[in-house]
Amino acid sequence: MPFAREYGGTLATRSFGGALVSRTFYARGQTGQQLLYGAYQALMRQVALGRVELLCRRDLLELVTVDGVARGAVCRHLLTGALEVHTAQAVVLATGGYSNVYFLSTNALKSNASAIWRAHRQGALFANPCFTQIHPTCIPSGDAYQSKLTLMSESLRNDGRVWLPAMAGDERPPAAIPEAERDYFLERQYPAYGNMVPRDVASRRARELCNAGHGVGPGGRSVYLDLRDAIAREGRETIEARYGNLLEMYERISGDDPITTPMRIYPAPHYTMGGLWVDYQLMSSIPGLFVLGEANFSEHGANRLGASALMQGLADGYFIAPATVTAWLAGHPTPAIAVDDPACRAALERARGRIAALLQVGGRRPVDAFHRELGALMIERCGISREASGLRAGLQELEELEHRFHSEVRVPGSAEGPNPELEKALRVADFFGLAQLMLRDALAREESCGAHFREEHQSAEGEARRDDANFSHIAAWEFRGDGAEPLRHSEPLCFTALQPSTRSYR
Amino acid sequence: MTSRPTDSGLAPGSASRPRLSLNLRVWRQESPAEPGGFQSYRLEQVSADLSLLEALDQLNEQLIAAGERPVHFEHDCREGICGSCGFLVNGQAHGPQAATTVCQLYLRQFEDGATLSLEPWRSRAFPPIQDLVVDRSALDRLISAGGYCSVNTGQAPEGNAMLVGQEQAASAFATASCIGCGACVASCRNASASLFVAAKLAHLGQLPQGQPERQKRARSMGQQMEAEGFGSCSSNLECEAVCPKQISADWISWMRREAR
Ligand SMILES: Cc1cc2nc3c(=O)[nH]c(=O)nc-3n(C[C@H](O)[C@H](O)[C@H](O)COP(=O)(O)OP(=O)(O)OC[C@H]3O[C@@H](n4cnc5c(N)ncnc54)[C@H](O)[C@@H]3O)c2cc1C
Ligand code: FES
């Protein structure tokens, strides 16, 4: 893997959000992508050796459990539509995070929660679902049909100054707003850290001012990130060389030249710290079901720091799972179950029933229309900032929306052959269930903690206030049937060497 | 919902941004067994801030509401890094903008009233699946023919045990940035995968870990290229012109020397 190098040939390092030391190896802006290629190549080598069989173009729709132990999965072949049963001695899920519950996020469009959600319904505990990270420097949306929010490197905050018109409802173009009428709100509120405050703080302050009518751009949902002063200080060429690719990307997407006019940015859902509960072996509460990467809840607590998602991918996939999954296999030499085992048939029926129900609705609205509504609801009620009455209202609205989905959606085509709309419908149906759990979890956690900010729990200066006496624990939710209240378990956090303290950036 | 301003980004105000209308001629093909053909659609007054794929999303919502089958196209990241998307726009792989995948091609690149023809990659090695979707698994098979280092990684070594010069690492990086979209194949009149294979060989061949199997890798990936039905390179350089990652075709000549 072509990591960046110093002149002497040693590995180069970079500093990252939340860390004061330069300690992160990187490969330009593609570290994750290059790690993925390395893993992909190693995988294709095993394929060539006949040790791994790839079953591409499949969506996992159900988990098979026998006597409470994971013994297989039901997948849908995305080209033929066939439902397949795969039996196994262990099941490993590495199916990523659930930021797409918000519809617009920085994640790839096919990222989804179905695998972990289906496992949750089979008994796997879901931990801290409300811990979701909203990244401040994304290219905002311009139109209702926009399908994703692209992340820009946080490094831009090193040279860019964040501002908004001081007067609410000011519709003048940025160049026409004189210096005295600009509010550099992060510098004003945080003289020590200024534009470099942590992600959650920057996101929250931007949202507050947009809600108060100061926001700019389409719908008033963005803030300026202005390179003007940096260009005046260091020259256009230096700034262009420092951020070259990023500035090009911004221009390509927004159509504006960031050198001559301030960029517009807005926070976007980016990473989900919550996920299936796992133990130190990365095994979920269903024996034989292992969960790796962003799909599990471990490692990041209530907020993830820059670069540590890739660190977790390596830790889980390279160091932990090879030892713990093999240990499980060695200790459980149970004979394989037959593909027509009653447990497999039941799982198959569950998947078939869900597909048939979605195809039968025969409504008029496409899946995406509902997904957009779900996203709007979730970002409003359970996004950058949450509050009890809003969360309760969100639960109500969600119930109505889910009901409308199941009576008004139109999923064209049939269960056979390629049907991308059916794939989306199955995912969105599962996002409804997860959204409800997120709202409940956010409501139950009566404190502000990491990326979870409850408006009721803040200091006089508007900063997050934790309640370690009552909430220094992991919330792990148990599914108890459709319509039944899920059960909240708590696993206490024990700090032995270091004690959690309060952050201050003022 | 309440009357509070929302975070959804769907609030009014976008009306002031530029809009345009487009005529789309889209290749529709139900299955590999059935013949395909172009079908014309019109998109009225769509936002110029949308990508071409988002315009197709919008078209699909209209088709679904009208009871028709939506257009099938591949995509995932929608930010030009995963290599899932790709089709011909007016005969050009990924459309007219240089260094751009089709998911990053924004409508403001087109004139109001323009007609865009969208067709799938055409190559013997990429059998059709449906509409704009083709099967590119031949590229995966090329990688499994040797596009890796066959030493088990073992224990994590000390990071700086192996030094790599900065320029060399940067050059390896430039070739490692291939996203495997297949545009090089689709734009080549011989349907050659030479740029794809050369990029992989150069990525591994410039790093110390890739040295032991350099020649063997070049030979076996070359053989697999033929077995998959990819043509040979006659230096038309179309591949370089359409590559969204701007990988240089000079690496193809480099590859020829490697395989000797
Ligand atoms: C734009 C962006 C930039 C980032 N930058 C950084 C960074 O600089 N540093 C850092 O540390 N982290 C970064 N992250 C976070 C990090 O990339 C992710 O957390 C990490 O890639 C997650 O890896 P994973 O293997 O757990 O899941 P993923 O990479 O999300 O893989 C999950 C896979 O499972 C598939 N899948 C999901 N559900 C199913 C199903 N039901 N059936 C079959 N397949 C399914 C998905 O399609 C996907 O291919 C970034 C994330 C984004 C979105
Ligand atoms: S969708 Fe990923 S590169 Fe276009």
Side-chain angles (χ1 to χ4, degrees):
Chain A
M1 155 153 186
F3 277 112
R5 298 281 168 165
E6 302 291 354
Y7 279 112
T10 54
L11 290 158
T13 56
R14 195 183 252 188
S15 71
F16 240 92
L20 293 174
V21 280
S22 179
R23 60 172 185 193
T24 308
F25 301 137
Y26 67 98
R28 214 172 293 172
Q30 300 184 1
T31 319
Q33 197 178 346
Q34 292 300 329
L35 286 171
L36 182 73
Y37 290 159
Y40 161 68
Q41 288 167 199
L43 175 65
M44 294 316 282
R45 173 179 159 231
Q46 299 303 323
V47 170
L49 291 170
R51 294 209 193 109
V52 171
E53 184 190 358
L54 289 183
L55 302 169
C56 298
R57 296 188 189 270
R58 307 295 203 282
D59 262 6
L60 186 148
L61 296 186
E62 289 290 344
L63 180 74
V64 176
T65 57
V66 178
D67 300 329
V69 178
R71 298 305 306 274
V74 172
C75 294
R76 180 167 179 274
H77 190 302
L78 302 183
L79 297 184
T80 66
L83 292 179
E84 307 166 341
V85 174
H86 301 283
T87 61
Q89 302 298 114
V91 177
V92 177
L93 296 181
T95 50
Y98 52 88
S99 291
N100 280 349
V101 71
Y102 296 102
F103 185 64
L104 288 175
S105 86
T106 65
N107 286 13
L109 266 75
K110 295 189 178 177
S111 296
N112 70 96
S114 287
I116 55 174
W117 186 251
R118 289 288 136 192
H120 172 61
R121 291 177 56 100
Q122 290 303 301
L125 299 182
F126 205 115
N128 300 335
C130 81
F131 287 167
T132 58
Q133 183 179 78
I134 318 266
H135 200 295
T137 50
C138 300
I139 304 177
S141 68
D143 185 83
Y145 283 93
Q146 182 164 344
S147 57
K148 93 162 273 173
L149 296 167
T150 302
L151 176 76
M152 288 198 299
S153 167
E154 245 174 335
S155 59
L156 282 166
R157 284 200 279 151
N158 281 310
D159 285 306
R161 296 181 70 193
V162 177
W163 65 275
L164 278 173
M167 182 175 73
D170 190 340
E171 288 193 354
R172 287 175 292 176
I177 302 179
E179 193 61 25
E181 293 173 43
R182 299 178 175 199
D183 177 14
Y184 295 91
F185 57 94
L186 292 178
E187 297 172 23
R188 171 170 59 81
Q189 294 173 329
Y190 302 91
Y193 277 71
N195 296 297
M196 292 303 286
V197 290
R199 289 177 186 177
D200 55 318
V201 177
S203 295
R204 219 155 47 232
R205 298 287 96 90
R207 174 179 187 269
E208 279 164 11
L209 284 166
C210 289
N211 282 357
H214 295 262
V216 295
R221 303 312 297 175
S222 44
V223 303
Y224 291 127
L225 178 67
D226 201 339
L227 292 171
R228 186 194 63 183
D229 294 348
I231 293 170
R233 193 174 58 236
E234 298 185 52
R236 180 187 175 134
E237 273 172 22
T238 313
I239 296 299
E240 270 177 349
R242 191 171 298 158
Y243 299 111
N245 290 345
L246 274 174
L247 302 183
E248 264 170 48
M249 181 180 81
Y250 178 83
E251 184 165 2
R252 193 192 309 267
I253 296 176
S254 71
D256 292 335
D257 176 3
I259 297 290
T260 55
T261 190
M263 287 182 274
R264 286 185 298 107
I265 57 164
Y266 198 65
H270 177 55
Y271 186 87
T272 52
M273 283 71 71
L276 289 187
W277 181 91
V278 288
D279 61 14
Y280 285 103
Q281 321 290 311
L282 298 182
M283 191 160 83
S284 71
S285 56
I286 297 181
L289 175 68
F290 294 82
V291 191
L292 278 59
E294 194 174 336
N296 73 30
F297 87 107
S298 70
E299 275 135 289
H300 311 296
N303 210 352
R304 177 181 72 88
L305 299 182
S308 47
L310 300 180
M311 179 284 299
Q312 171 178 16
L314 294 178
D316 289 5
Y318 189 77
F319 293 102
I320 306 174
T324 62
V325 177
T326 44
W328 167 264
L329 292 175
H332 296 82
T334 35
I337 54 167
V339 288
D340 63 351
D341 185 281
C344 298
R345 270 186 285 148
L348 206 51
E349 274 325 303
R350 289 197 299 274
R352 201 170 278 144
R354 288 197 284 132
I355 291 170
L358 286 166
L359 289 169
Q360 264 162 21
V361 179
R364 303 199 51 81
R365 294 186 76 209
V367 178
D368 281 353
F370 288 99
H371 196 177
R372 274 196 293 269
E373 273 193 68
L374 171 66
L377 188 167
M378 289 304 285
I379 195 77
E380 169 69 9
R381 301 301 191 191
C382 199
I384 298 171
S385 170
R386 299 113 189 237
E387 155 281 315
S389 65
L391 290 163
R392 284 200 197 92
L395 280 165
Q396 190 75 41
E397 291 156 0
L398 184 69
E399 197 181 317
E400 287 158 21
L401 183 61
E402 186 173 9
H403 178 75
R404 279 203 284 122
F405 173 76
H406 287 291
S407 54
E408 292 172 20
V409 74
R410 170 177 285 179
V411 183
S414 70
E416 281 87 51
N419 189 344
E421 287 296 314
L422 175 60
E423 295 164 28
K424 284 198 276 189
L426 286 161
R427 293 174 190 152
V428 171
D430 288 341
F431 276 138
F432 278 113
L434 173 59
Q436 194 198 64
L437 196 66
M438 290 167 67
L439 291 164
R440 282 181 194 274
D441 188 45
L443 195 55
R445 189 167 282 278
E446 289 282 356
E447 64 164 351
S448 294
C449 169
H452 168 66
F453 186 81
R454 280 284 300 269
E455 290 170 18
E456 304 90 326
H457 303 291
Q458 53 181 311
S459 67
E461 296 86 44
E463 299 306 331
R465 195 164 60 210
R466 273 202 326 268
D467 177 0
D468 290 343
N470 294 304
F471 287 96
S472 185
H473 62 237
I474 291 151
W477 294 85
E478 180 187 339
F479 180 78
R480 294 199 299 174
D482 284 313
E485 292 262 319
L487 189 65
R488 185 180 191 271
H489 299 273
S490 62
E491 183 189 17
L493 296 170
C494 303
F495 297 91
T496 48
L498 296 170
Q499 293 304 313
S501 58
T502 305
R503 301 180 307 176
S504 173
Y505 300 97
R506 293 210 180 238
Chain B
M1 301 285 297
T2 60
S3 57
R4 273 170 40 168
T6 71
D7 268 328
S8 65
L10 307 186
S14 16
S16 56
R17 306 283 295 182
R19 299 193 159 258
L20 75 172
S21 298
L22 290 172
N23 301 306
L24 298 177
R25 280 179 78 236
V26 185
W27 184 264
R28 302 302 311 262
Q29 184 171 3
E30 184 67 38
S31 73
E34 288 152 86
F38 284 106
Q39 183 97 35
S40 295
Y41 305 98
R42 189 163 163 88
L43 276 177
E44 296 288 351
Q45 293 301 306
V46 284
S47 164
D49 288 331
L50 293 180
S51 70
L52 183 53
L53 297 192
E54 289 164 342
L56 285 179
D57 291 339
Q58 196 166 340
L59 173 66
N60 280 346
E61 292 202 19
Q62 291 169 16
L63 293 177
I64 293 164
E68 292 175 49
R69 186 171 67 77
V71 178
H72 196 182
F73 59 92
E74 282 200 280
H75 65 96
D76 199 9
C77 73
R78 296 213 178 180
E79 55 177 84
I81 59 175
C82 75
S84 302
C85 68
F87 46 77
L88 304 175
V89 183
N90 292 342
Q92 271 178 300
H94 290 301
Q97 198 179 6
T100 304
T101 53
V102 79
C103 60
Q104 289 283 285
L105 185 61
Y106 281 78
L107 298 188
R108 66 181 79 87
Q109 298 295 324
F110 303 106
E111 304 270 308
D112 187 21
T115 298
L116 307 184
S117 274
L118 314 183
E119 18 169 2
W121 290 164
R122 305 264 187 216
S123 157
R124 197 160 13 122
F126 294 162
I129 290 179
Q130 190 176 57
D131 298 343
L132 302 175
V133 181
V134 298
D135 178 357
R136 286 169 292 180
S137 54
L139 297 180
D140 289 326
R141 289 190 294 274
L142 282 178
I143 298 296
S144 63
Y148 46 74
C149 306
S150 29
V151 199
N152 281 334
T153 327
Q155 290 298 304
E158 151 58 34
N160 284 322
M162 222 177 244
L163 300 181
V164 183
Q166 195 178 54
E167 275 175 26
Q168 197 184 349
S171 176
F173 179 89
T175 47
S177 63
C178 166
I179 57 175
C181 63
C184 47
V185 177
S187 66
C188 173
R189 80 159 85 107
N190 308 332
S192 167
S194 290
L195 189 59
F196 173 82
V197 172
K200 186 51 61 193
L201 293 177
H203 160 202
L204 297 172
Q206 292 181 93
L207 292 172
Q209 297 89 336
Q211 296 312 311
E213 296 161 298
R214 233 170 109 168
Q215 270 211 327
K216 181 168 152 236
R217 179 181 305 119
R219 285 209 197 96
S220 58
M221 287 185 79
Q223 282 159 8
Q224 188 67 24
M225 207 166 16
E226 270 175 45
E228 293 287 348
F230 291 105
S232 53
C233 171
S234 48
S235 304
N236 292 310
L237 304 187
E238 266 306 307
C239 53
E240 181 182 86
V242 299
C243 176
K245 299 297 148 183
Q246 298 187 295
I247 295 172
S248 163
D250 291 348
W251 291 109
I252 299 179
S253 345
W254 179 90
M255 168 170 79
R256 292 204 179 104
R257 294 195 297 275
E258 281 290 285
R260 246 180 252 144

